[in-house]
C-alpha cells in the first residue's frame, strides 16, 4: 500500500487552488477510520485577513479533511470518489487562530454514520500540539 503522505490530496477533493485548505493527509486509522491532515497557512488563502487565518477557514479546513477522509476510504476500496457537503457545525470552539505560515493538524474522528450522513468530531492543533479549535460536523454524502 502506498504511504498516505505521498498521495496527492487533490485526488480526494473537489476544491482547487486557491481554495484547497489541506496539503496532505498524515495518517489514517482503519479501526476508527480517523484521519489527520496537515496544512501550512498560505498568505493568498481566501480566509486570511491581514496575517490571520479566520475561523471560517478552520471550518472549511475541517470540511476538506472530512472530504479527504471519505475520498481516501473510497480510493482504498476502489470505489468512485464521493462528494460531501456540510450539513451542520455544532459546538464549535475556537481557542486561537493561526497566522500565515503556521502549520495546523486537523484530526477527524467518525462518531456515527447513517443513511449517507457522517457525524465527526474534529480537533485542530498547531505544530506544538496546542488546541486551536474543536467542533462536531455533519457531512452529507452525495452519491
Amino acid at each position: 500500500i502506498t504511504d498516505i503522505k505521498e498521495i496527492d490530496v487533490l485526488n480526494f477533493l473537489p476544491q482547487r487552488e486557491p481554495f484547497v485548505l489541506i496539503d496532505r493527509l498524515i495518517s489514517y486509522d482503519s479501526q476508527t477510520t480517523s484521519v489527520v491532515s496537515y496544512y501550512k497557512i498560505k498568505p493568498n488563502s481566501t480566509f486570511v485577513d491581514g496575517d490571520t487565518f479566520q475561523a471560517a477557514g478552520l471550518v472549511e479546513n475541517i470540511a476538506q479533511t472530512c472530504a479527504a477522509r471519505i475520498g481516501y476510504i473510497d480510493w482504498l476500496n476502489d470505489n468512485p470518489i464521493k462528494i460531501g457537503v456540510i450539513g451542520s457545525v455544532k459546538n464549535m470552539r475556537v481557542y486561537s487562530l493561526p497566522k500565515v505560515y503556521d502549520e495546523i493538524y486537523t484530526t477527524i474522528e467518525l462518531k456515527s454514520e447513517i443513511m449517507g450522513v457522517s457525524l465527526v468530531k474534529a480537533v485542530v492543533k498547531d505544530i506544538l500540539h496546542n488546541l486551536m479549535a474543536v467542533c462536531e460536523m455533519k457531512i452529507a454524502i452525495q452519491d
Side-chain angles (χ1 to χ4, degrees):
I1 291 183
T2 306
D3 182 357
I4 193 170
K5 295 175 190 170
E6 301 302 319
I7 302 171
D8 185 353
V9 75
L10 293 178
N11 292 326
F12 310 133
L13 298 175
Q15 291 85 357
R16 292 296 172 251
E17 292 296 345
F19 202 67
V20 176
L21 300 180
I22 62 175
D23 293 323
R24 67 180 177 271
L25 293 179
I26 297 295
S27 67
Y28 170 73
D29 181 327
S30 61
Q31 298 298 313
T32 61
T33 70
S34 63
V35 297
V36 179
S37 72
Y38 164 85
Y39 181 59
K40 186 172 185 176
I41 309 300
K42 309 211 178 12
N44 66 337
S45 170
T46 305
F47 295 101
V48 168
D49 184 14
D51 69 345
T52 304
F53 192 64
Q54 300 301 297
L58 291 174
V59 171
E60 183 60 26
N61 166 267
I62 291 166
Q64 289 185 25
T65 303
C66 289
R69 176 195 157 272
I70 295 163
Y72 183 67
I73 292 168
D74 286 341
W75 181 80
L76 284 175
N77 294 309
D78 206 25
N79 291 328
I81 305 297
K82 298 179 202 77
I83 294 177
V85 295
I86 299 172
S88 68
V89 178
K90 186 176 172 185
N91 299 324
M92 181 84 182
R93 303 261 191 282
V94 177
Y95 301 101
S96 65
L97 295 172
K99 304 290 186 195
V100 169
Y101 302 117
D102 283 354
E103 299 172 40
I104 61 173
Y105 295 84
T106 303
T107 302
I108 299 299
E109 183 180 336
L110 181 68
K111 294 308 210 179
S112 67
E113 197 166 39
I114 187 165
M115 297 176 52
V117 176
S118 298
L119 174 63
V120 300
K121 177 183 176 188
V123 177
V124 181
K125 294 183 178 181
D126 67 14
I127 196 166
L128 299 175
H129 304 286
N130 295 311
L131 186 61
M132 300 192 86
V134 296
C135 76
E136 292 179 351
M137 186 176 283
K138 285 185 183 174
I139 302 289
I141 309 303
Q142 299 177 335
D143 285 324

